[in-house]
């Protein structure tokens, strides 16, 4: 009920900023290619931040639809978050296998819809979304249907089609089926671990701390995605497992077995560790790429000694 006190200008600002962020995210690549300033570091920075932003696209739904009887259940939103995350990594899985980054229309539809919902909320108020659209059909049902429909009727079929087309044209970068699907191993294991914690949590941690849990899952997933982006840019083999999954396994086991009784504290500690790990990884990659480009530029400027 607290979200009913949010001022209208907040929703207007959210709608405008979301649209601007989406628009600028779409045109920066074209501008970089037009000015011949496109670099692997820019690609990593762009898509790396996009992978992290997926959390907020889903979590902010709380501020609109709420958690009541007419709102979105935390469990439902958790699985919707995973639909969004897997939809995002599909595009980079395509590039890992085909060398070309295809961006489906599902992303554009979702971003346009989110911006519109913010602006409409500023006019009609959040109370409107709690009313049925027709009969017993609620707006939350339309929201859920939109996310699932975009993923399974647009994003997934297009990804599979593009990879199949590359296979038929003999341009697929990985001939082995195992190598082709290797990037999905860590995300699937992350899903299994996080879902195990949700299902067997003694204190129902998702009900207690939904946003913090989404932040933890989304940040860990962003870390996995960034490593895939680095592999696709450098044409290197994707590692089967992300080391972050090892301590997470210990965290989940200590939680569901009761070894660590204060689950909220454990979640806060582990989320902080995941965020710091992801930031450290980003800084390390940027430093390595910068050093690489500096050495390359120096070698070009160095006069020929022969």
């Amino acid at each position: 009920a607290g979200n009913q006190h949010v001022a209208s200008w907040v929703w207007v600002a959210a709608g405008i900023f979301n649209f601007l962020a989406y628009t600028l995210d779409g045109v920066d690549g074209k501008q970089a290619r037009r000015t011949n300033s496109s670099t692997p570091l820019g690609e990593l920075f762009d898509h790396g931040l996009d992978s992290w932003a997926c959390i907020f696209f889903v979590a902010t739904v709380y501020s609109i639809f709420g958690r009541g009887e007419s709102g979105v259940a935390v469990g439902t939103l958790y699985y919707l978050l995973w639909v969004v995350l897997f939809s995002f990594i599909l595009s980079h899985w395509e590039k890992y296998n085909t060398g070309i980054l295809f961006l489906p229309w599902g992303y554009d539809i979702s971003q346009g819809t989110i911006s519109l919902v913010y602006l409409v909320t500023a006019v009609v108020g959040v109370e409107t979304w709690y009313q049925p659209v027709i009969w017993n059909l609620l707006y939350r049902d339309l929201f859920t249907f939109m996310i699932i429909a975009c993923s399974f009727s647009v994003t997934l079929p297009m990804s599979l089609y593009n990879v199949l087309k590359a296979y038929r044209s003999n341009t697929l970068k990985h001939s082995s089926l195992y190598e082709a699907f290797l990037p999905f191993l860590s995300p699937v294991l992350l899903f299994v671990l996080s879902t195990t914690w949700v299902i067997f949590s003694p204190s129902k941690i998702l009900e207690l701390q939904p946003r913090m849990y989404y932040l933890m899952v989304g940040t860990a997933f962003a870390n996995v995605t960034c490593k895939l982006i680095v592999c696709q840019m450098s044409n290197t083999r994707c590692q089967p497992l992300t080391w972050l999954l090892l301590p997470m396994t210990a965290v989940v086991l200590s939680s569901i077995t009761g070894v660590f009784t204060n689950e909220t504290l454990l979640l806060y500690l582990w989320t902080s560790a995941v965020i710091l790990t992801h930031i450290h990884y980003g800084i390390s990659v940027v430093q390595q790429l910068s050093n690489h480009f500096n050495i390359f530029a120096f070698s070009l400027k160095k006069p020929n000694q022969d």
Side-chain angles (χ1 to χ4, degrees), residues 185-228:
L185 182 57
S186 287
V188 168
L189 290 178
L190 176 61
F191 170 76
V192 171
L193 283 173
S194 60
T195 305
T196 300
W197 193 355
V198 168
I199 294 175
F200 298 102
S201 169
S203 63
K204 305 297 180 185
I205 190 63
L206 189 60
E207 295 285 342
L208 291 175
Q209 299 289 337
R211 283 189 175 91
M212 185 59 63
Y213 201 86
Y214 300 149
L215 179 60
M216 181 273 292
V217 170
T219 305
F221 191 91
N223 186 258
V224 172
T225 304
C226 285
K227 292 178 179 179
L228 174 60

Side-chain angles (χ1 to χ4, degrees), residues 51 114 142 151 153 170 178 185 194-196 218 267 277 289-290:
S51 66
I114 290 175
L142 295 179
S151 298
S153 65
N170 202 29
Y178 171 77
L185 182 57
S194 60
T195 305
T196 300
L267 175 61
T277 299
L289 286 175
S290 299

Side-chain angles (χ1 to χ4, degrees), residues 2 26 28 45 52 65 80 86 120 125 129 152 162 184 204 208 225 234 246 251 285 287 292 296:
D28 62 349
F45 190 79
W52 209 353
F65 296 102
L80 288 179
F86 272 111
V120 171
W129 305 115
F152 288 96
N162 289 328
F184 284 125
K204 305 297 180 185
L208 291 175
T225 304
S234 57
L246 296 177
V251 168
V285 172
Q287 288 178 340
H292 172 76
F296 179 71

Side-chain angles (χ1 to χ4, degrees), residues 168-181:
R168 289 177 174 174
S169 61
N170 202 29
T171 58
L172 203 62
K173 298 173 67 174
H174 305 281
S175 57
S176 167
L177 193 64
Y178 171 77
E179 291 294 333
F181 283 91

Side-chain angles (χ1 to χ4, degrees), residues 3-299:
N3 50 12
Q4 297 180 7
H5 303 293
V6 176
S8 296
W9 69 265
V10 175
W11 299 115
V12 174
I16 293 175
F17 290 147
N18 189 85
F19 180 78
L20 288 176
Y22 154 67
T23 303
L24 293 174
D25 181 43
V27 302
D28 62 349
K30 292 184 177 181
Q31 175 68 8
R33 287 186 290 272
R34 192 180 71 172
T35 58
N36 198 28
S37 58
S38 178
T39 63
L41 179 59
E43 181 180 353
L44 175 63
F45 190 79
D46 183 352
H47 298 296
L49 290 179
D50 287 345
S51 66
W52 209 353
C54 288
I55 319 162
F56 306 103
F57 294 149
V58 178
T60 49
V61 173
Y62 269 138
S63 303
I64 299 176
F65 296 102
R67 286 181 59 178
E69 293 183 0
S70 59
V72 182
V74 291
T76 300
L77 205 57
Y78 168 75
Y79 291 110
L80 288 179
L81 173 62
W82 272 107
V83 171
V84 172
L85 294 176
F86 272 111
S87 297
F88 182 87
I89 205 173
L90 270 174
S91 297
H92 296 283
W93 171 71
E94 286 180 65
K95 187 174 182 180
Y96 178 75
N97 285 286
T98 65
I100 303 173
L101 181 64
F102 299 94
L103 294 176
W105 283 100
Y107 174 74
D108 302 273
I109 295 172
S110 63
Q111 290 305 299
T113 302
I114 290 175
S115 299
L116 183 62
V117 167
Y118 284 140
L119 296 176
V120 171
T121 303
V123 178
V124 303
V126 293
E127 297 86 354
T128 303
W129 305 115
Y130 304 153
Q131 306 301 320
V133 182
I134 183 174
W135 296 307
N136 292 324
L137 184 66
L138 298 171
Y139 285 101
R140 60 130 188 245
D141 302 319
L142 295 179
F143 169 79
T144 302
F145 175 77
M146 181 195 72
I147 292 181
I148 297 177
C150 286
S151 298
F152 288 96
S153 65
V154 179
T155 306
L156 180 60
M158 286 303 299
S159 296
L160 296 177
Y161 171 74
N162 289 328
V163 173
L164 179 62
K165 186 168 64 173
Y167 171 76
R168 289 177 174 174
S169 61
N170 202 29
T171 58
L172 203 62
K173 298 173 67 174
H174 305 281
S175 57
S176 167
L177 193 64
Y178 171 77
E179 291 294 333
F181 283 91
L182 191 60
F184 284 125
L185 182 57
S186 287
V188 168
L189 290 178
L190 176 61
F191 170 76
V192 171
L193 283 173
S194 60
T195 305
T196 300
W197 193 355
V198 168
I199 294 175
F200 298 102
S201 169
S203 63
K204 305 297 180 185
I205 190 63
L206 189 60
E207 295 285 342
L208 291 175
Q209 299 289 337
R211 283 189 175 91
M212 185 59 63
Y213 201 86
Y214 300 149
L215 179 60
M216 181 273 292
V217 170
T219 305
F221 191 91
N223 186 258
V224 172
T225 304
C226 285
K227 292 178 179 179
L228 174 60
I229 295 174
V230 171
C231 290
Q232 74 183 25
M233 291 190 310
S234 57
N235 289 321
T236 55
R237 182 175 181 266
C238 180
Q239 296 300 313
L241 292 175
T242 301
W243 73 265
L244 195 64
L245 297 175
L246 296 177
M248 184 171 179
T249 302
V251 168
V252 173
L253 289 177
S254 64
S255 175
I256 64 177
T257 58
V259 173
F260 203 107
T261 56
N262 192 336
E263 281 192 280
T264 299
L265 177 60
L266 180 61
L267 175 61
Y268 271 77
L269 291 174
W270 175 238
T271 303
S272 301
V274 171
I275 292 175
L276 291 175
T277 299
H278 188 49
I279 293 175
H280 176 266
Y281 173 77
I283 293 174
S284 300
V285 172
V286 169
Q287 288 178 340
Q288 291 182 19
L289 286 175
S290 299
N291 292 336
H292 172 76
F293 287 126
N294 288 336
I295 294 174
F296 179 71
F298 177 77
S299 64

